[in-house]
Amino acid sequence: MKLLYKTALPMALLAVAATAGAQDFPGSKPITIVVPFAAGGPTDLVARQLAEAMRKPLGGATILVDNAAGAGGTIGANKVAKASADGHTVLLHHIGVATAPALYRNLPYKTLDDFEYVGMVNEVPMTVIGRPTLPANNYAELTKWLEANKGKVNLANAGLGAASHLCGLLFQSSLKMEMTTVPYKGTGPAMTDLIGGQVDLMCDQTTNTSSQIEGKKVKAFAVTTRQRLATPALKDLPTMQEVGYKDFEVNVFHGLYAPKGVPAAALKKLNDALKVALKDPDFVRRQNELGAVIVSDKRVEPAEHKKFIAAEINKWTPVIRAAGVYAD
Ligand code: ASP
């Protein structure tokens, strides 16, 4: 009897503690969205808008954004993989989540095993843009300028495995032209240098480039989608396919991830809050204005998103291996 009591009590307490933790979530502790790129870039912007939209469905919780930038997003992803699994630390990442396993030979986390998948957020097209002082005003003029400056052109990106890096690789291979790549910790600082004329070109998400294009801070040459975009600032831009590269298509997705082991109830609250946020008219309007497309409820389901990421890893791994690009 005594023995039974000794065993049963801690078990009961544990059960109560686990239930209480899940019910209390998010509790009084703030939630931190880790962005694996510098402030001022597209991933940062999606995270900040999402933080606002998820606040109410999470009972008015404080949601902070932490920019843990570097190494193409792998530093921030690793930070979340190793964070306490209580649901208070999540990662807002993009396509880099699926390309890192092939690009980084010593990736310190396992993409499919070390995260709980909260859900997918959006899909965002990219744009090919240039410094404002570039003497080309459309794609045909850019082609001429590139020909005349062979060997001297440089291309900014947000690090190995960043969306801008992948788009830049595709751009160079499509044009059969090598450019000097200049890596940054995110589009934020890369954009500052592009506007300042320190780098020539960049390919980046419309969430960050549309306002710069509209404000004439950078020159825009093409979009990376199959169809032209409806966004006012981008509607006159040709697709890369229109200008002659029939296989050129890049779309960046964003998703939300938590460390492995977050209690199912907390995970459900995060996923429910994400679904509510993705229907928030203000969030949807702001995202659409920037060219981002919110995904359907089905794609926000954790299992569905994990399946998608597994497929993306399988899609990108052979492409990256064939390109022979990697980091140790
Ligand atoms: N847009 C960047 C990329 O190229 C990352 C960022 O700053 O959001 O992946």
Side-chain angles (χ1 to χ4, degrees), residues 233-279:
L234 311 171
K235 68 176 179 12
D236 295 329
L237 293 175
T239 66
M240 283 300 286
Q241 300 192 353
E242 270 177 70
V243 299
Y245 307 102
K246 66 174 178 44
D247 294 324
F248 201 116
E249 187 180 9
V250 198
N251 230 349
V252 179
F253 61 84
H254 291 94
L256 204 59
Y257 313 89
K260 188 79 190 172
V262 169
L267 212 55
K268 177 157 179 3
K269 283 191 180 174
L270 284 168
N271 177 266
D272 286 348
L274 176 60
K275 282 187 187 137
V276 172
L278 298 188
K279 291 199 175 69

mmCIF file of all heavy atoms in Angstrom, residues 233-279:
data_model
loop_
_atom_site.group_PDB
_atom_site.id
_atom_site.type_symbol
_atom_site.label_atom_id
_atom_site.label_comp_id
_atom_site.label_asym_id
_atom_site.label_seq_id
_atom_site.Cartn_x
_atom_site.Cartn_y
_atom_site.Cartn_z
ATOM 1 N N ALA A 233 2.664 47.754 -57.791
ATOM 2 C CA ALA A 233 4.071 48.099 -58.036
ATOM 3 C C ALA A 233 4.774 47.107 -58.963
ATOM 4 O O ALA A 233 5.828 47.398 -59.521
ATOM 5 C CB ALA A 233 4.817 48.161 -56.708
ATOM 6 N N LEU A 234 4.167 45.918 -59.137
ATOM 7 C CA LEU A 234 4.874 44.853 -59.865
ATOM 8 C C LEU A 234 4.175 44.416 -61.151
ATOM 9 O O LEU A 234 4.701 43.601 -61.907
ATOM 10 C CB LEU A 234 5.024 43.633 -58.940
ATOM 11 C CG LEU A 234 5.579 43.899 -57.531
ATOM 12 C CD1 LEU A 234 5.466 42.671 -56.667
ATOM 13 C CD2 LEU A 234 7.024 44.360 -57.600
ATOM 14 N N LYS A 235 2.987 44.961 -61.405
ATOM 15 C CA LYS A 235 2.152 44.420 -62.493
ATOM 16 C C LYS A 235 2.762 44.581 -63.894
ATOM 17 O O LYS A 235 2.432 43.827 -64.795
ATOM 18 C CB LYS A 235 0.728 44.963 -62.417
ATOM 19 C CG LYS A 235 0.592 46.443 -62.702
ATOM 20 C CD LYS A 235 -0.880 46.812 -62.688
ATOM 21 C CE LYS A 235 -1.190 48.262 -62.933
ATOM 22 N NZ LYS A 235 -0.146 49.155 -63.413
ATOM 23 N N ASP A 236 3.666 45.543 -64.071
ATOM 24 C CA ASP A 236 4.250 45.737 -65.398
ATOM 25 C C ASP A 236 5.530 44.929 -65.616
ATOM 26 O O ASP A 236 6.122 44.973 -66.697
ATOM 27 C CB ASP A 236 4.554 47.232 -65.615
ATOM 28 C CG ASP A 236 3.270 48.048 -65.634
ATOM 29 O OD1 ASP A 236 2.236 47.493 -66.075
ATOM 30 O OD2 ASP A 236 3.296 49.216 -65.186
ATOM 31 N N LEU A 237 5.958 44.203 -64.592
ATOM 32 C CA LEU A 237 7.209 43.450 -64.732
ATOM 33 C C LEU A 237 6.994 42.138 -65.479
ATOM 34 O O LEU A 237 6.052 41.408 -65.181
ATOM 35 C CB LEU A 237 7.798 43.140 -63.350
ATOM 36 C CG LEU A 237 8.289 44.344 -62.549
ATOM 37 C CD1 LEU A 237 8.738 43.902 -61.168
ATOM 38 C CD2 LEU A 237 9.426 45.051 -63.276
ATOM 39 N N PRO A 238 7.881 41.810 -66.430
ATOM 40 C CA PRO A 238 7.732 40.530 -67.127
ATOM 41 C C PRO A 238 8.133 39.378 -66.216
ATOM 42 O O PRO A 238 8.857 39.575 -65.233
ATOM 43 C CB PRO A 238 8.736 40.661 -68.283
ATOM 44 C CG PRO A 238 9.784 41.584 -67.758
ATOM 45 C CD PRO A 238 9.056 42.563 -66.860
ATOM 46 N N THR A 239 7.672 38.168 -66.535
ATOM 47 C CA THR A 239 8.147 37.000 -65.796
ATOM 48 C C THR A 239 9.502 36.613 -66.412
ATOM 49 O O THR A 239 9.791 36.979 -67.562
ATOM 50 C CB THR A 239 7.177 35.813 -65.952
ATOM 51 O OG1 THR A 239 7.190 35.403 -67.319
ATOM 52 C CG2 THR A 239 5.768 36.199 -65.532
ATOM 53 N N MET A 240 10.297 35.858 -65.667
ATOM 54 C CA MET A 240 11.580 35.397 -66.220
ATOM 55 C C MET A 240 11.320 34.473 -67.415
ATOM 56 O O MET A 240 12.121 34.375 -68.324
ATOM 57 C CB MET A 240 12.395 34.666 -65.141
ATOM 58 C CG MET A 240 13.074 35.582 -64.147
ATOM 59 S SD MET A 240 14.258 36.723 -64.925
ATOM 60 C CE MET A 240 15.611 35.617 -65.306
ATOM 61 N N GLN A 241 10.143 33.805 -67.386
ATOM 62 C CA GLN A 241 9.809 32.930 -68.509
ATOM 63 C C GLN A 241 9.556 33.766 -69.765
ATOM 64 O O GLN A 241 10.006 33.415 -70.851
ATOM 65 C CB GLN A 241 8.610 32.070 -68.150
ATOM 66 C CG GLN A 241 8.940 31.222 -66.925
ATOM 67 C CD GLN A 241 7.939 30.127 -66.646
ATOM 68 O OE1 GLN A 241 6.905 30.050 -67.289
ATOM 69 N NE2 GLN A 241 8.256 29.288 -65.689
ATOM 70 N N GLU A 242 8.867 34.885 -69.597
ATOM 71 C CA GLU A 242 8.599 35.778 -70.746
ATOM 72 C C GLU A 242 9.880 36.276 -71.391
ATOM 73 O O GLU A 242 9.947 36.470 -72.595
ATOM 74 C CB GLU A 242 7.830 37.019 -70.272
ATOM 75 C CG GLU A 242 6.342 36.909 -70.289
ATOM 76 C CD GLU A 242 5.723 38.186 -69.735
ATOM 77 O OE1 GLU A 242 5.797 39.238 -70.395
ATOM 78 O OE2 GLU A 242 5.186 38.132 -68.613
ATOM 79 N N VAL A 243 10.909 36.522 -70.550
ATOM 80 C CA VAL A 243 12.141 37.067 -71.132
ATOM 81 C C VAL A 243 13.066 35.954 -71.634
ATOM 82 O O VAL A 243 14.197 36.216 -72.017
ATOM 83 C CB VAL A 243 12.881 38.027 -70.160
ATOM 84 C CG1 VAL A 243 12.016 39.214 -69.807
ATOM 85 C CG2 VAL A 243 13.378 37.309 -68.905
ATOM 86 N N GLY A 244 12.544 34.717 -71.629
ATOM 87 C CA GLY A 244 13.290 33.675 -72.325
ATOM 88 C C GLY A 244 13.751 32.470 -71.518
ATOM 89 O O GLY A 244 14.357 31.566 -72.074
ATOM 90 N N TYR A 245 13.466 32.423 -70.213
ATOM 91 C CA TYR A 245 13.963 31.289 -69.420
ATOM 92 C C TYR A 245 12.782 30.436 -68.987
ATOM 93 O O TYR A 245 12.177 30.664 -67.937
ATOM 94 C CB TYR A 245 14.794 31.798 -68.230
ATOM 95 C CG TYR A 245 15.869 32.744 -68.715
ATOM 96 C CD1 TYR A 245 15.727 34.127 -68.591
ATOM 97 C CD2 TYR A 245 16.983 32.243 -69.374
ATOM 98 C CE1 TYR A 245 16.684 34.991 -69.092
ATOM 99 C CE2 TYR A 245 17.955 33.102 -69.889
ATOM 100 C CZ TYR A 245 17.786 34.475 -69.740
ATOM 101 O OH TYR A 245 18.730 35.319 -70.264
ATOM 102 N N LYS A 246 12.435 29.458 -69.817
ATOM 103 C CA LYS A 246 11.150 28.765 -69.635
ATOM 104 C C LYS A 246 11.038 27.943 -68.359
ATOM 105 O O LYS A 246 9.943 27.631 -67.925
ATOM 106 C CB LYS A 246 10.785 27.957 -70.878
ATOM 107 C CG LYS A 246 11.692 26.809 -71.193
ATOM 108 C CD LYS A 246 11.116 26.028 -72.369
ATOM 109 C CE LYS A 246 11.993 24.869 -72.780
ATOM 110 N NZ LYS A 246 12.554 24.046 -71.712
ATOM 111 N N ASP A 247 12.180 27.571 -67.751
ATOM 112 C CA ASP A 247 12.087 26.786 -66.510
ATOM 113 C C ASP A 247 12.296 27.633 -65.268
ATOM 114 O O ASP A 247 12.425 27.111 -64.169
ATOM 115 C CB ASP A 247 13.120 25.649 -66.536
ATOM 116 C CG ASP A 247 12.792 24.652 -67.616
ATOM 117 O OD1 ASP A 247 11.596 24.418 -67.846
ATOM 118 O OD2 ASP A 247 13.732 24.134 -68.254
ATOM 119 N N PHE A 248 12.383 28.930 -65.446
ATOM 120 C CA PHE A 248 12.678 29.790 -64.294
ATOM 121 C C PHE A 248 11.417 30.054 -63.483
ATOM 122 O O PHE A 248 10.512 30.728 -63.919
ATOM 123 C CB PHE A 248 13.276 31.119 -64.786
ATOM 124 C CG PHE A 248 14.061 31.849 -63.728
ATOM 125 C CD1 PHE A 248 15.420 32.054 -63.872
ATOM 126 C CD2 PHE A 248 13.447 32.322 -62.580
ATOM 127 C CE1 PHE A 248 16.168 32.715 -62.907
ATOM 128 C CE2 PHE A 248 14.177 32.981 -61.601
ATOM 129 C CZ PHE A 248 15.535 33.187 -61.768
ATOM 130 N N GLU A 249 11.373 29.480 -62.298
ATOM 131 C CA GLU A 249 10.235 29.731 -61.401
ATOM 132 C C GLU A 249 10.714 29.557 -59.958
ATOM 133 O O GLU A 249 11.284 28.525 -59.609
ATOM 134 C CB GLU A 249 9.091 28.749 -61.677
ATOM 135 C CG GLU A 249 7.857 29.099 -60.870
ATOM 136 C CD GLU A 249 6.687 28.148 -61.097
ATOM 137 O OE1 GLU A 249 6.857 27.112 -61.757
ATOM 138 O OE2 GLU A 249 5.598 28.448 -60.576
ATOM 139 N N VAL A 250 10.557 30.570 -59.137
ATOM 140 C CA VAL A 250 10.881 30.442 -57.706
ATOM 141 C C VAL A 250 9.762 31.080 -56.889
ATOM 142 O O VAL A 250 9.342 32.202 -57.156
ATOM 143 C CB VAL A 250 12.209 31.148 -57.298
ATOM 144 C CG1 VAL A 250 12.707 30.630 -55.959
ATOM 145 C CG2 VAL A 250 13.289 31.039 -58.345
ATOM 146 N N ASN A 251 9.299 30.337 -55.923
ATOM 147 C CA ASN A 251 8.276 30.808 -54.995
ATOM 148 C C ASN A 251 8.799 30.477 -53.605
ATOM 149 O O ASN A 251 9.238 29.361 -53.367
ATOM 150 C CB ASN A 251 6.986 30.027 -55.249
ATOM 151 C CG ASN A 251 5.809 30.944 -55.407
ATOM 152 O OD1 ASN A 251 5.889 32.152 -55.133
ATOM 153 N ND2 ASN A 251 4.699 30.385 -55.837
ATOM 154 N N VAL A 252 8.753 31.416 -52.712
ATOM 155 C CA VAL A 252 9.267 31.172 -51.360
ATOM 156 C C VAL A 252 8.090 30.954 -50.422
ATOM 157 O O VAL A 252 7.121 31.699 -50.473
ATOM 158 C CB VAL A 252 10.071 32.394 -50.863
ATOM 159 C CG1 VAL A 252 10.594 32.170 -49.453
ATOM 160 C CG2 VAL A 252 11.220 32.661 -51.807
ATOM 161 N N PHE A 253 8.163 29.926 -49.586
ATOM 162 C CA PHE A 253 7.096 29.751 -48.592
ATOM 163 C C PHE A 253 7.650 30.101 -47.215
ATOM 164 O O PHE A 253 8.853 30.088 -46.998
ATOM 165 C CB PHE A 253 6.576 28.300 -48.598
ATOM 166 C CG PHE A 253 7.642 27.292 -48.256
ATOM 167 C CD1 PHE A 253 7.957 27.006 -46.940
ATOM 168 C CD2 PHE A 253 8.344 26.645 -49.261
ATOM 169 C CE1 PHE A 253 8.947 26.092 -46.613
ATOM 170 C CE2 PHE A 253 9.342 25.730 -48.948
ATOM 171 C CZ PHE A 253 9.644 25.461 -47.625
ATOM 172 N N HIS A 254 6.750 30.437 -46.320
ATOM 173 C CA HIS A 254 7.137 30.622 -44.917
ATOM 174 C C HIS A 254 6.322 29.662 -44.059
ATOM 175 O O HIS A 254 5.165 29.385 -44.373
ATOM 176 C CB HIS A 254 6.869 32.062 -44.443
ATOM 177 C CG HIS A 254 7.765 33.066 -45.076
ATOM 178 N ND1 HIS A 254 7.417 33.764 -46.200
ATOM 179 C CD2 HIS A 254 9.014 33.477 -44.755
ATOM 180 C CE1 HIS A 254 8.411 34.575 -46.545
ATOM 181 N NE2 HIS A 254 9.394 34.418 -45.676
ATOM 182 N N GLY A 255 6.937 29.167 -42.994
ATOM 183 C CA GLY A 255 6.256 28.250 -42.081
ATOM 184 C C GLY A 255 6.665 28.527 -40.641
ATOM 185 O O GLY A 255 7.651 29.234 -40.381
ATOM 186 N N LEU A 256 5.885 27.961 -39.727
ATOM 187 C CA LEU A 256 6.133 28.166 -38.297
ATOM 188 C C LEU A 256 6.453 26.815 -37.652
ATOM 189 O O LEU A 256 5.756 25.829 -37.888
ATOM 190 C CB LEU A 256 4.865 28.769 -37.676
ATOM 191 C CG LEU A 256 5.000 29.584 -36.398
ATOM 192 C CD1 LEU A 256 5.923 30.782 -36.600
ATOM 193 C CD2 LEU A 256 3.632 30.078 -35.949
ATOM 194 N N TYR A 257 7.519 26.784 -36.840
ATOM 195 C CA TYR A 257 8.012 25.532 -36.257
ATOM 196 C C TYR A 257 8.313 25.740 -34.774
ATOM 197 O O TYR A 257 8.684 26.833 -34.360
ATOM 198 C CB TYR A 257 9.299 25.088 -36.988
ATOM 199 C CG TYR A 257 9.132 25.171 -38.486
ATOM 200 C CD1 TYR A 257 9.429 26.359 -39.184
ATOM 201 C CD2 TYR A 257 8.608 24.106 -39.205
ATOM 202 C CE1 TYR A 257 9.217 26.471 -40.553
ATOM 203 C CE2 TYR A 257 8.390 24.203 -40.582
ATOM 204 C CZ TYR A 257 8.695 25.390 -41.244
ATOM 205 O OH TYR A 257 8.464 25.490 -42.595
ATOM 206 N N ALA A 258 8.188 24.657 -34.010
ATOM 207 C CA ALA A 258 8.490 24.707 -32.573
ATOM 208 C C ALA A 258 9.479 23.583 -32.258
ATOM 209 O O ALA A 258 9.615 22.648 -33.046
ATOM 210 C CB ALA A 258 7.195 24.526 -31.783
ATOM 211 N N PRO A 259 10.162 23.660 -31.109
ATOM 212 C CA PRO A 259 11.085 22.569 -30.787
ATOM 213 C C PRO A 259 10.341 21.247 -30.611
ATOM 214 O O PRO A 259 9.175 21.238 -30.207
ATOM 215 C CB PRO A 259 11.702 22.998 -29.447
ATOM 216 C CG PRO A 259 11.353 24.418 -29.265
ATOM 217 C CD PRO A 259 10.131 24.702 -30.063
ATOM 218 N N LYS A 260 10.993 20.153 -30.905
ATOM 219 C CA LYS A 260 10.401 18.819 -30.718
ATOM 220 C C LYS A 260 10.004 18.651 -29.254
ATOM 221 O O LYS A 260 10.755 19.050 -28.357
ATOM 222 C CB LYS A 260 11.445 17.763 -31.092
ATOM 223 C CG LYS A 260 10.905 16.366 -31.120
ATOM 224 C CD LYS A 260 10.152 16.154 -32.410
ATOM 225 C CE LYS A 260 9.375 14.853 -32.427
ATOM 226 N NZ LYS A 260 8.513 14.793 -33.607
ATOM 227 N N GLY A 261 8.844 18.112 -29.021
ATOM 228 C CA GLY A 261 8.436 17.806 -27.654
ATOM 229 C C GLY A 261 7.456 18.800 -27.044
ATOM 230 O O GLY A 261 7.030 18.615 -25.910
ATOM 231 N N VAL A 262 7.085 19.838 -27.785
ATOM 232 C CA VAL A 262 6.078 20.779 -27.257
ATOM 233 C C VAL A 262 4.778 19.991 -27.036
ATOM 234 O O VAL A 262 4.357 19.236 -27.919
ATOM 235 C CB VAL A 262 5.854 21.954 -28.251
ATOM 236 C CG1 VAL A 262 4.640 22.772 -27.861
ATOM 237 C CG2 VAL A 262 7.083 22.821 -28.334
ATOM 238 N N PRO A 263 4.143 20.121 -25.857
ATOM 239 C CA PRO A 263 2.912 19.362 -25.604
ATOM 240 C C PRO A 263 1.863 19.593 -26.701
ATOM 241 O O PRO A 263 1.724 20.710 -27.205
ATOM 242 C CB PRO A 263 2.419 19.927 -24.263
ATOM 243 C CG PRO A 263 3.614 20.556 -23.638
ATOM 244 C CD PRO A 263 4.524 20.989 -24.750
ATOM 245 N N ALA A 264 1.165 18.500 -27.029
ATOM 246 C CA ALA A 264 0.189 18.549 -28.131
ATOM 247 C C ALA A 264 -0.833 19.671 -27.947
ATOM 248 O O ALA A 264 -1.219 20.335 -28.920
ATOM 249 C CB ALA A 264 -0.515 17.209 -28.245
ATOM 250 N N ALA A 265 -1.263 19.904 -26.710
ATOM 251 C CA ALA A 265 -2.297 20.926 -26.490
ATOM 252 C C ALA A 265 -1.760 22.322 -26.801
ATOM 253 O O ALA A 265 -2.466 23.153 -27.381
ATOM 254 C CB ALA A 265 -2.804 20.850 -25.063
ATOM 255 N N ALA A 266 -0.509 22.588 -26.434
ATOM 256 C CA ALA A 266 0.094 23.893 -26.721
ATOM 257 C C ALA A 266 0.284 24.052 -28.228
ATOM 258 O O ALA A 266 0.042 25.117 -28.803
ATOM 259 C CB ALA A 266 1.427 24.023 -25.989
ATOM 260 N N LEU A 267 0.686 22.964 -28.848
ATOM 261 C CA LEU A 267 0.891 22.979 -30.293
ATOM 262 C C LEU A 267 -0.425 23.276 -31.022
ATOM 263 O O LEU A 267 -0.462 24.042 -31.976
ATOM 264 C CB LEU A 267 1.397 21.584 -30.694
ATOM 265 C CG LEU A 267 2.342 21.506 -31.869
ATOM 266 C CD1 LEU A 267 3.548 22.406 -31.683
ATOM 267 C CD2 LEU A 267 2.803 20.063 -32.044
ATOM 268 N N LYS A 268 -1.498 22.692 -30.507
ATOM 269 C CA LYS A 268 -2.807 22.912 -31.125
ATOM 270 C C LYS A 268 -3.211 24.388 -30.969
ATOM 271 O O LYS A 268 -3.742 24.993 -31.895
ATOM 272 C CB LYS A 268 -3.856 21.977 -30.501
ATOM 273 C CG LYS A 268 -5.236 22.224 -31.063
ATOM 274 C CD LYS A 268 -6.162 21.070 -30.938
ATOM 275 C CE LYS A 268 -7.562 21.297 -31.462
ATOM 276 N NZ LYS A 268 -7.901 22.544 -32.087
ATOM 277 N N LYS A 269 -2.905 24.947 -29.785
ATOM 278 C CA LYS A 269 -3.249 26.359 -29.579
ATOM 279 C C LYS A 269 -2.467 27.239 -30.550
ATOM 280 O O LYS A 269 -2.990 28.218 -31.083
ATOM 281 C CB LYS A 269 -2.953 26.772 -28.141
ATOM 282 C CG LYS A 269 -4.007 26.279 -27.169
ATOM 283 C CD LYS A 269 -3.853 26.915 -25.812
ATOM 284 C CE LYS A 269 -4.918 26.392 -24.862
ATOM 285 N NZ LYS A 269 -4.743 26.850 -23.495
ATOM 286 N N LEU A 270 -1.213 26.887 -30.779
ATOM 287 C CA LEU A 270 -0.401 27.671 -31.725
ATOM 288 C C LEU A 270 -0.968 27.543 -33.138
ATOM 289 O O LEU A 270 -1.099 28.525 -33.868
ATOM 290 C CB LEU A 270 1.057 27.196 -31.700
ATOM 291 C CG LEU A 270 1.891 27.630 -30.494
ATOM 292 C CD1 LEU A 270 3.215 26.860 -30.437
ATOM 293 C CD2 LEU A 270 2.182 29.140 -30.538
ATOM 294 N N ASN A 271 -1.316 26.310 -33.516
ATOM 295 C CA ASN A 271 -1.852 26.088 -34.863
ATOM 296 C C ASN A 271 -3.206 26.785 -35.028
ATOM 297 O O ASN A 271 -3.461 27.430 -36.062
ATOM 298 C CB ASN A 271 -1.962 24.584 -35.148
ATOM 299 C CG ASN A 271 -2.580 24.296 -36.506
ATOM 300 O OD1 ASN A 271 -3.784 24.091 -36.626
ATOM 301 N ND2 ASN A 271 -1.765 24.336 -37.542
ATOM 302 N N ASP A 272 -4.061 26.690 -34.002
ATOM 303 C CA ASP A 272 -5.363 27.370 -34.066
ATOM 304 C C ASP A 272 -5.171 28.881 -34.210
ATOM 305 O O ASP A 272 -5.840 29.535 -35.013
ATOM 306 C CB ASP A 272 -6.184 27.110 -32.789
ATOM 307 C CG ASP A 272 -6.740 25.684 -32.749
ATOM 308 O OD1 ASP A 272 -6.685 24.998 -33.778
ATOM 309 O OD2 ASP A 272 -7.202 25.267 -31.657
ATOM 310 N N ALA A 273 -4.229 29.422 -33.425
ATOM 311 C CA ALA A 273 -3.970 30.869 -33.479
ATOM 312 C C ALA A 273 -3.427 31.259 -34.850
ATOM 313 O O ALA A 273 -3.777 32.314 -35.389
ATOM 314 C CB ALA A 273 -2.981 31.260 -32.387
ATOM 315 N N LEU A 274 -2.597 30.390 -35.414
ATOM 316 C CA LEU A 274 -2.063 30.671 -36.757
ATOM 317 C C LEU A 274 -3.203 30.719 -37.775
ATOM 318 O O LEU A 274 -3.280 31.642 -38.593
ATOM 319 C CB LEU A 274 -1.023 29.596 -37.139
ATOM 320 C CG LEU A 274 -0.422 29.681 -38.538
ATOM 321 C CD1 LEU A 274 0.314 31.007 -38.750
ATOM 322 C CD2 LEU A 274 0.544 28.518 -38.790
ATOM 323 N N LYS A 275 -4.122 29.752 -37.673
ATOM 324 C CA LYS A 275 -5.247 29.723 -38.625
ATOM 325 C C LYS A 275 -6.113 30.983 -38.492
ATOM 326 O O LYS A 275 -6.562 31.529 -39.496
ATOM 327 C CB LYS A 275 -6.109 28.480 -38.381
ATOM 328 C CG LYS A 275 -5.479 27.222 -38.963
ATOM 329 C CD LYS A 275 -6.453 26.068 -38.854
ATOM 330 C CE LYS A 275 -5.814 24.765 -39.271
ATOM 331 N NZ LYS A 275 -6.149 23.657 -38.379
ATOM 332 N N VAL A 276 -6.333 31.410 -37.248
ATOM 333 C CA VAL A 276 -7.126 32.635 -37.044
ATOM 334 C C VAL A 276 -6.377 33.827 -37.642
ATOM 335 O O VAL A 276 -6.947 34.650 -38.369
ATOM 336 C CB VAL A 276 -7.417 32.869 -35.532
ATOM 337 C CG1 VAL A 276 -8.073 34.223 -35.303
ATOM 338 C CG2 VAL A 276 -8.299 31.759 -34.976
ATOM 339 N N ALA A 277 -5.080 33.899 -37.377
ATOM 340 C CA ALA A 277 -4.263 35.018 -37.881
ATOM 341 C C ALA A 277 -4.300 35.079 -39.408
ATOM 342 O O ALA A 277 -4.379 36.161 -39.998
ATOM 343 C CB ALA A 277 -2.823 34.874 -37.393
ATOM 344 N N LEU A 278 -4.280 33.910 -40.052
ATOM 345 C CA LEU A 278 -4.251 33.874 -41.513
ATOM 346 C C LEU A 278 -5.585 34.284 -42.140
ATOM 347 O O LEU A 278 -5.682 34.427 -43.351
ATOM 348 C CB LEU A 278 -3.833 32.482 -42.011
ATOM 349 C CG LEU A 278 -2.424 32.015 -41.605
ATOM 350 C CD1 LEU A 278 -2.051 30.734 -42.315
ATOM 351 C CD2 LEU A 278 -1.367 33.082 -41.886
ATOM 352 N N LYS A 279 -6.594 34.468 -41.280
ATOM 353 C CA LYS A 279 -7.892 34.949 -41.795
ATOM 354 C C LYS A 279 -8.162 36.377 -41.319
ATOM 355 O O LYS A 279 -9.186 36.962 -41.662
ATOM 356 C CB LYS A 279 -9.011 34.030 -41.316
ATOM 357 C CG LYS A 279 -8.934 32.671 -41.977
ATOM 358 C CD LYS A 279 -10.262 31.933 -41.888
ATOM 359 C CE LYS A 279 -10.226 30.646 -42.654
ATOM 360 N NZ LYS A 279 -9.361 29.626 -42.059
#
